[in-house]
Each structure stands twice: as structure tokens, then as C-alpha cells.
Amino acid sequence: MAAPLGEFTDRNIQAPPEDQASSHPEATAPLLKEKILKEAEGLKEERRLLKVRVQKAEDHKDKVSESVYRKIKAEYQEKFDETTRHFLQLKVEIDKELIDLAKKQSTLDRQMMMHKQALEEAKFRHITGEYNDAKFREIETKEALDSERLEKTVESFAAAMKRYQKLFEGEELPAEPIPPAEPPKKQASKKEVKEVKEEKEESDFLYLAEEEESFEEELQEPTSSESLPAAVKPKAAPAKSAVPTLVQMDGGQMVHEYPLESVITIGRSPSNTIVLSESRVSRKHTIIEKRGAGFVVIDLDSSNGTFLNGKKIKESALNPGDEVKVGGVQFVFRV
């Protein structure tokens, strides 16, 4: 016999699955490692102090001899480069944890939506008379508590991301790692200097003899532009190093240009690098991160997906001119 209206039956329960309903971040999603963040903050301050010392040495170099100035400035610069190398190493670790954090936050957003829908469904079943007042209050209380815990964790995630962004905000970091300083060269002895000098004189003599012989041969051959020595050929200007950018487009016109340094997050949440208020965009929708010498675009399990050149993707490498679409907003990757 069917249950009368107003009575509750187990088959009507449509709560989130047990593993999802209990997977709150307090137990499953640790925030960025405090030890790494504190170490990076200390290195940032050390870089700032060394930069100030290098500038002061430059400003007051006329108060000491040239040798003293060069020695002290070189020491400061070497310490600055070493600190920067360590800072960049920690940045790589933090970038990886930040991506993992963004993916977990995307999972939280979906769980919050499930609790919201479960509460909305319970309200409607209560209106129709399927759920009595006691059962509705039971579901309402449970969903409210779960939603509150999720909201607090989402807020803590956003605070951690802001702390990361502030850590590297305004920092002028090299695109490539700084090579370690070379050890000082051993000073040559008088005997070694004499031997090198004799070898050079012998080499110069042989070179002049070969040049005279080569010159006589060239007099008998026609001269062309291809046979000109490399020293007199015009050198091509070195290519300028360009900073990769993500350009937001609207109707074929550029709206905004975002420089790509390490990680850019896109979504509706205010904690993102690029905030889009469009309804089709998830709170944490897409990440673009530096990987090796290039960049990759990663969809964070968004509701409507991320598209690369019109094709829905999960993760893909970016090439110059690629079009990335998030919701209804179009971006172009440029180098």
C-alpha cells in the first residue's frame, strides 16, 4: 500500500552520497603548507633588504675606493641571486599546491550546490504534503549545518589563495632560473703565465704564416658577398624576449591583456586572478599555469567546461594564437 501524504518513506530520501556529504575539507583538503609559506615570506623580505643594500652601495660608491665598492656590491648581488634561486624553487612547490587547492575548491562548490538543491527539494516536498513538518525541519537543519561548514572552508581556501598572490605580488622574478655562481678561479703561477705566453707567441707566428698564404690564394679568386669574413658581415639584431599574455576579446576587439608569469585562475569567485560574473562560469572554472618552457590550460571540473579552439578539453598545452573560451568569454593566448 502506498504511504499516505504527510508521511515520510525512506525511498523518498535523495540526500548527497555518503562519501560526498562527509567529505568536508577539514579532513580531506589541507591548505597550503604553512612551513613553505613562512619560508617564502622570509626569503621575500631578505630579497628586499639585499636589493636596498645593492642600491645604497651604488648611491655611495664615491665614498670608498673602486675595489672596495666592487667587492661589497658583488657580495650583496651574489647573496641576492642565491636568495632568488631559493625563492623560485619554493614558488614551484607553492604553484603545484595552489593548483591542487583550486581543484578541491571546485569540488566544494559542487557539494554546496548539491546541498542547496537537496534543501530546495525538501521545501517543495513539504509544500506538496509529502514531508511533514518534523521531517522537513530535520532535513533543513542538516543541510544548513553542512552548508555552513562548506562555506567556512571555501572562505579559508580563498584566504590562502590571497595570501599566495600577495606573496609574489610585485616581485620581479627572472623567467629562467639563475645559474649558481662560479667558484673563483685559481690564480696562475709565474711559471704557468710564462708557458701560456710562449704558447701564444708561437700560435700567433703560425697564424700569421697561414694568413699570408691564405691571402695570396684569395688574390687569385673573385670576391663575393658570401666570402666576406664574419667580422664585416652585419649581425642580425637579437630577438626581443616577449612576455606571454592572455588577451580577453569582445567582438574581435581587445578588452584586457593579462601577462602570464606563473598561474592565472579564472572564475566567478573574487579570489581568482580573472573574475567573470557570467552565470555560465563556475566559481573556480579554469587555470592556466606555466609548465616547463610553455603554458597549459586546465579545466577545474567546471559545470559548462573549458573550450580550446572550439573543442572541449580537460587539460591541454597552449600554442600562440590559441583561443580559450570560458562561459561566453573568449581569450587569445599570445607570445
Side-chain angles (χ1 to χ4, degrees):
M1 180 182 295
L5 291 175
E7 292 186 7
F8 173 76
T9 58
D10 290 340
R11 63 183 177 84
N12 291 326
I13 301 177
Q14 296 187 12
E18 186 65 26
D19 61 335
Q20 294 184 5
S22 62
S23 59
H24 293 304
E26 291 89 342
T28 62
L31 299 181
L32 294 174
K33 294 179 181 177
E34 185 69 19
K35 181 180 178 181
I36 295 178
L37 279 174
K38 283 190 174 181
E39 187 176 359
E41 287 169 347
L43 289 171
K44 178 180 180 179
E45 177 63 15
E46 187 176 349
R47 288 181 78 249
R48 186 191 69 80
L49 291 174
L50 287 168
K51 194 173 183 180
V52 170
R53 289 173 187 169
V54 169
Q55 186 58 51
K56 283 186 176 181
E58 181 68 26
D59 294 341
H60 301 284
K61 63 182 179 180
D62 56 337
K63 296 183 179 180
V64 294
S65 64
E66 182 71 14
S67 60
V68 170
Y69 157 71
R70 290 185 178 278
K71 177 185 176 183
I72 293 178
K73 184 180 178 182
E75 288 178 1
Y76 291 161
Q77 188 64 51
E78 184 177 348
K79 289 180 181 177
F80 180 83
D81 291 342
E82 180 61 32
T83 304
T84 300
R85 275 193 294 272
H86 195 184
F87 193 57
L88 286 172
Q89 290 171 356
L90 291 182
K91 187 176 186 297
V92 171
E93 294 184 42
I94 295 175
D95 282 345
K96 291 178 181 178
E97 292 204 20
L98 187 68
I99 292 171
D100 184 55
L101 192 65
K103 289 180 179 178
K104 288 175 180 177
Q105 185 169 359
S106 179
T107 301
L108 286 179
D109 290 339
R110 291 198 303 273
Q111 290 180 5
M112 288 180 65
M113 181 62 67
M114 290 177 63
H115 287 297
K116 182 179 179 181
Q117 290 175 347
L119 180 59
E120 186 179 1
E121 181 180 332
K123 286 181 180 179
F124 194 67
R125 291 182 185 276
H126 182 242
I127 291 173
T128 62
E130 181 179 352
Y131 288 173
N132 57 30
D133 292 344
K135 188 60 192 179
F136 172 69
R137 284 194 296 271
E138 177 187 344
I139 296 176
E140 184 181 36
T141 301
K142 178 182 179 301
E143 296 300 333
L145 288 173
D146 287 342
S147 296
E148 183 179 358
R149 282 196 294 268
L150 287 170
E151 286 176 1
K152 287 182 179 179
T153 307
V154 168
E155 289 175 0
S156 67
F157 277 22
M161 290 181 176
K162 285 183 178 179
R163 184 178 175 188
Y164 165 83
Q165 291 168 349
K166 185 179 180 181
L167 180 61
F168 296 101
E169 187 178 30
E171 289 295 308
E172 297 178 359
L173 298 173
E176 298 295 333
I178 301 174
E182 295 182 359
K185 294 182 179 179
K186 181 182 176 182
Q187 188 174 1
S189 64
K190 292 182 179 180
K191 181 180 179 182
E192 290 172 333
V193 171
K194 183 179 179 182
E195 289 175 353
V196 170
K197 185 177 180 181
E198 289 175 352
E199 288 177 4
K200 184 177 183 304
E201 289 175 351
E202 183 179 355
S203 175
D204 290 344
F205 175 78
L206 293 174
Y207 174 76
L208 289 173
E210 291 174 358
E211 283 291 300
E212 289 177 2
E213 183 178 349
S214 175
F215 179 70
E216 291 175 358
E217 292 176 356
E218 289 178 1
L219 289 177
Q220 301 173 6
E221 297 179 359
T223 303
S224 64
S225 59
E226 294 181 355
S227 64
L228 286 174
V232 298
K233 289 183 180 179
K235 295 183 179 179
K240 295 182 179 179
S241 58
V243 177
T245 57
L246 191 67
V247 181
Q248 183 176 342
M249 307 295 291
D250 185 10
Q253 300 294 322
M254 184 178 75
V255 177
H256 200 283
E257 192 172 21
Y258 302 92
L260 288 170
E261 294 181 355
S262 56
V263 177
I264 277 186
T265 59
I266 305 174
R268 286 189 294 106
S269 172
S271 64
N272 289 290
T273 311
I274 302 176
V275 181
L276 303 177
S277 58
E278 189 175 308
S279 60
R280 287 177 290 176
V281 178
S282 300
R283 286 172 58 85
K284 287 291 179 182
H285 198 112
T286 305
I287 269 188
I288 295 177
E289 65 158 329
K290 184 174 177 62
R291 190 172 294 176
F295 286 84
V296 295
V297 56
I298 305 170
D299 181 75
L300 297 174
D301 297 326
S302 62
S303 301
N304 295 304
T306 301
F307 292 81
L308 180 64
N309 299 324
K311 183 179 179 181
K312 191 174 183 180
I313 56 96
K314 178 64 180 175
E315 179 176 329
S316 181
L318 285 173
N319 295 308
D322 278 352
E323 295 181 358
V324 178
K325 192 172 183 181
V326 178
V329 183
Q330 181 181 358
F331 299 91
V332 176
F333 176 66
R334 292 180 180 173
V335 176

